[in-house]
Amino acid sequence: MKNQFSLEGKVALITGASYGIGFAIASSLANAGATIVFNDLKQEFVDKGLAAYKAEGIKAHGYVCDVTDEAGVNAMVAQIEKEVGVIDILVNNAGIIKRIPMVEMSAAEFRQVIDVDLNAPFIVSKAVIPSMIKKGAGKIINICSMMSELGRETVSAYAAAKGGLKMLTRNIASEYGEFNIQCNGIGPGYIATPQTAPLREKQADGSRHPFDSFIIAKTPAARWGNPEDLAGPAVFLASNASDFVNGHVLYVDGGILAYIGKQP
Ligand code: NAP
Ligand code: GCO
């Protein structure tokens, strides 16, 4: 059983993984034996990430790269193949959100979210698939969202992107499954990271943010998730244990999608 989940000898690229969910997923893949490669937008963040991995006893390789820049991504993937090895596991994690009511959102802002959250997973996947085909195996994990299934006020661009990412996941599985490439998604529930910090900020009187209380009432587990809650699911989808799982989104949400919410 242990062998089925082992990632010994595998190279994993996790995008935007200096901290937050990406960092936790990368650490779990490293603990299962994988060699970790990650990127971030600026050298300063890459350096912080490298120090954080080192503190965990993980030797990681960090690159500066904007995942929306196709030429930059292609150059980074070529450099990784030369310096570290062919990428066996790709986790499309880098993402942004803009919480703006739709009628107040500019088309440029909408496009920016789509660019990072949907176009970039296309660009990075496209860059790694040819070598996976040559190798006869590959794993792609797209970090989806509750918003791959649900809408809410102010997140039109994010929901459109994450809904699209779910379908990109199914399409990569459909198009490249015959080459022994599995593409699946992880749909995290509400996870405590810098991205969701504004939704958990304490009120002036020290009470919980109303959105914080709302999420607790919507989650059967009655808590926010931690990035570490995604570790086991990520290892499963990166390993041979999931070789016949393809085009699936594994929601890791403490039960949100199953629940109508606590009656006030
Ligand atoms: P986060 O704390 O904001 O971290 C996102 C990471 O992506 C940062 O390292 C950021 O880099 C990087 N990034 C953003 N744009 C990039 C670009 N163009 N090129 C390269 N890197 C870029 O977010 P998180 O909460 O850990 O979320 C990680 C993923 O999970 C995202 O896709 C998010 O949508 C998804 N997700 C989050 C939650 C949640 O509750 N937190 C739930 C479901 C899904 P910088 O440091 O340079 O900004
Ligand atoms: C929001 C949140 C979410 C989460 C996550 C849920 O404003 O509703 O930021 O969208 O980050 O993606 O799964």
Side-chain angles (χ1 to χ4, degrees), residues 112-209:
Q112 199 191 340
V113 175
I114 299 286
D115 210 21
V116 180
D117 293 357
L118 181 57
N119 292 344
F122 161 77
I123 288 170
V124 189
S125 300
K126 187 173 162 252
V128 303
I129 286 170
S131 292
M132 288 179 171
I133 292 175
K134 264 191 217 146
K135 209 167 179 177
K139 299 276 184 184
I140 298 175
I141 303 172
N142 290 327
I143 304 303
C144 298
S145 164
M146 293 291 89
M147 272 65 217
S148 298
E149 299 293 337
L150 303 169
R152 89 168 185 85
E153 300 79 1
T154 73
V155 298
S156 57
Y158 186 78
K162 294 294 187 177
L165 186 57
K166 174 181 70 177
M167 286 313 301
L168 179 66
T169 301
R170 291 183 181 163
N171 212 84
I172 293 173
S174 307
E175 206 164 340
Y176 298 104
E178 66 176 301
F179 300 103
N180 192 28
I181 293 171
Q182 289 83 44
C183 180
N184 292 290
I186 290 180
Y190 278 81
I191 312 292
T193 69
Q195 194 226 56
T196 53
L199 306 175
R200 283 175 285 107
E201 241 167 44
K202 287 261 188 299
Q203 301 295 91
D205 64 1
S207 62
R208 276 180 187 274
H209 191 295

Side-chain angles (χ1 to χ4, degrees), residues 13-18 37-41 46 63 65-67 76:
L13 168 63
I14 303 93
T15 64
S18 298
V37 184
F38 72 99
N39 71 295
D40 213 314
L41 282 167
V46 170
Y63 294 84
C65 178
D66 179 339
V67 286
M76 174 181 71

